[in-house]
């Protein structure tokens, strides 16, 4: 059996846009996948200032270009992607993923759509419970209290100790790969694994 660990955050446009290609790779290669939460920082793109430092200008332009690239890839994939002026959270949805029992793909898809198409706040436990229920998962089986949050923090620390720093991050054996553009390399690696 081939094994792949995939780290995602629902507020990561890159992870959202990698989802279909990731699932295609998994299904085509008969791969056992472990989905892991990893919370990334999402920041609003700063408004252009009348006077800004080179660093401020550079960060603003890079963030704008990254967003435009995501919008182009979304259009190519036929997906709607709506960037909020102030990015919403994803902590509660990631807390649920950290505790998920069974195949989480339907939940992952629904959570991505809730964030990127509907603009929902996935840091709100009630919103996440509704998504879980919609996917046929008993939301009462998920702890959104401090115990659940502590589990997510522990998994975040463990991921960082493994070298995870962004999403989507793929791990095959001891090799780490960042981004959907690495999927052909990952596929070749999985084909050659036992």
């Amino acid at each position: 059996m081939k094994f792949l660990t995939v780290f995602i955050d629902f507020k990561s446009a890159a992870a959202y846009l990698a989802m279909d290609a990731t699932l295609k790779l998994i299904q085509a290669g008969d791969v056992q996948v472990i989905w892991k939460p990893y919370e990334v920082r999402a920041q609003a793109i700063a408004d252009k200032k009348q006077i800004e430092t080179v660093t401020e200008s550079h960060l603003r332009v890079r963030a704008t270009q990254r967003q435009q690239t995501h919008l182009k890839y979304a259009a190519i994939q036929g997906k709607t992607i709506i960037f909020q002026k102030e990015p919403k959270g994803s902590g509660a949805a990631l807390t649920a993923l950290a505790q998920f029992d069974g195949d989480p793909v339907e939940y992952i898809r629904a959570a991505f759509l809730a964030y990127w198409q509907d603009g929902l706040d996935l840091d709100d436990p009630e919103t996440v419970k509704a998504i879980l229920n919609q996917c046929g998962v008993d939301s009462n089986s998920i702890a959104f209290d401090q115990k659940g949050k502590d589990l997510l923090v522990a998994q975040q620390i463990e991921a960082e100790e493994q070298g995870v720093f962004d999403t989507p991050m793929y791990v095959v054996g001891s090799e780490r790969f960042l981004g959907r553009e690495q999927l052909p390399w990952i596929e070749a690696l999985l084909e050659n694994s036992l």
Side-chain angles (χ1 to χ4, degrees), residues 42-45 83-89 115:
Q43 295 180 328
I45 297 175
F83 284 93
Q84 303 294 321
K85 177 67 176 155
E86 290 295 327
K88 294 182 170 63
Y115 189 92

Side-chain angles (χ1 to χ4, degrees), residues 159-187:
E160 289 171 355
E161 288 172 351
Q162 294 175 24
V164 176
F165 59 91
D166 202 354
T167 67
M169 179 77 77
Y170 303 89
V171 180
V172 180
S174 62
E175 301 285 335
R176 288 174 296 285
F177 304 89
L178 178 63
R180 67 183 179 277
E181 61 273 15
Q182 306 300 330
L183 287 172
W185 189 2
I186 294 166
E187 182 177 22

Side-chain angles (χ1 to χ4, degrees), residues 64-127:
T64 301
Q65 288 291 67
R66 190 169 34 251
Q67 191 176 91
Q68 290 174 351
T69 300
H70 290 318
L71 288 168
K72 286 179 184 177
Y73 275 101
I76 289 168
Q77 292 182 24
K79 291 186 174 185
T80 299
I81 188 166
I82 300 169
F83 284 93
Q84 303 294 321
K85 177 67 176 155
E86 290 295 327
K88 294 182 170 63
S90 60
L94 293 173
T95 296
L97 180 59
Q99 301 172 61
F100 212 91
D101 186 26
D103 183 0
V105 170
E106 184 180 357
Y107 166 70
I108 291 170
R109 283 185 179 277
F112 272 130
L113 292 175
Y115 189 92
W116 289 106
Q117 289 188 11
D118 302 330
L120 299 181
D121 183 359
L122 298 185
D123 206 20
D124 174 34
E126 294 307 313
T127 299

Side-chain angles (χ1 to χ4, degrees), residues 100 106-107 110 125-142 144:
F100 212 91
E106 184 180 357
Y107 166 70
E126 294 307 313
T127 299
V128 176
K129 286 177 184 180
I131 295 168
L132 288 164
N133 291 333
Q134 165 195 330
C135 294
V137 177
D138 179 10
S139 61
N140 294 320
S141 66
I142 305 294
F144 292 99

